[in-house]
Amino acid sequence: LSSKAGEGKSTTMKNFALELKSKYPWKWIQEVDLKKNHDPFKIGDKLNLNKNKELTNFLANHLLNLNDFDREVFKELFKNDQVIFLWDGADEIFPHFEVFMMNLAKNILELTENWQFIATREEYSNGFCNHLNTKAYKLNQLDEDERFEFLMKDIAASMFQLDTKTFYKKFKSFQKV
């Protein structure tokens, strides 16, 4: 997911995480704020993360810093491809940990079938796309009408469990003026 600074990547990732949690309650949904949580990358260069066991241990013990119980649950789910990573703020750790982050994501991709979503600024998205052989989705800012429609769909769906058309029929006062 790419866009310019301040255009809603982090907000989109948080909302996406909530949606994933409701759609896949049996999966481990792991949000990683790289801006706040990049200290483990300092030791990562010293580790051999191209083997599943070392990769799993680094993620559970260092990056996520899980307690004993959660660590075992995470390892089991990771081994069974039931983890979804949402890496937010990849651009915040560049250029210091750029190579490490790209290699970490690539190792997860090559060693497992766990899912990953990475939020970064536009200028870094091509590097990830080339390294991971994937494509980027560009987040565009919404105009006023699009924001209103988005909010109405969200309110209709989350608060009232209705589609937008039914919501407008029931609550006429929500029409845009």
Side-chain angles (χ1 to χ4, degrees), residues 55 103-114 116 131-134:
L55 178 61
N103 287 335
L104 176 63
K106 188 168 187 158
N107 288 343
I108 292 170
L109 179 68
E110 290 176 348
L111 296 172
T112 74
E113 292 184 24
N114 292 298
Q116 299 180 82
H131 198 72
L132 302 174
N133 194 28
T134 189

Side-chain angles (χ1 to χ4, degrees), residues 44-58:
D45 286 335
K46 299 173 182 78
L47 303 172
N48 181 8
L49 299 181
N50 60 357
K51 294 190 171 130
N52 206 318
K53 185 175 181 181
E54 287 82 0
L55 178 61
T56 308
N57 284 332
F58 171 76

Side-chain angles (χ1 to χ4, degrees), residues 24-52:
Y24 303 102
W26 62 90
K27 289 187 180 267
W28 183 293
I29 312 298
Q30 184 63 56
E31 298 173 74
V32 182
D33 183 344
L34 294 167
K35 184 177 181 179
K36 295 178 184 172
N37 194 20
H38 63 270
D39 283 343
F41 285 18
K42 294 173 185 171
I43 65 156
D45 286 335
K46 299 173 182 78
L47 303 172
N48 181 8
L49 299 181
N50 60 357
K51 294 190 171 130
N52 206 318

Side-chain angles (χ1 to χ4, degrees), residues 119-163:
T120 190
R121 291 192 189 146
E122 289 178 87
E123 58 264 30
Y124 299 114
S125 65
N126 285 340
F128 276 107
C129 290
N130 293 337
H131 198 72
L132 302 174
N133 194 28
T134 189
K135 60 182 172 182
Y137 293 91
K138 187 175 183 299
L139 185 63
N140 293 317
Q141 283 195 320
L142 303 176
D143 65 28
E144 186 179 341
D145 288 338
E146 291 168 328
R147 281 194 301 271
F148 181 80
E149 276 304 308
F150 176 79
L151 287 172
M152 289 304 100
K153 284 180 184 175
D154 188 56
I155 291 169
S158 62
M159 293 178 67
F160 301 102
Q161 287 79 41
L162 300 171
D163 62 88

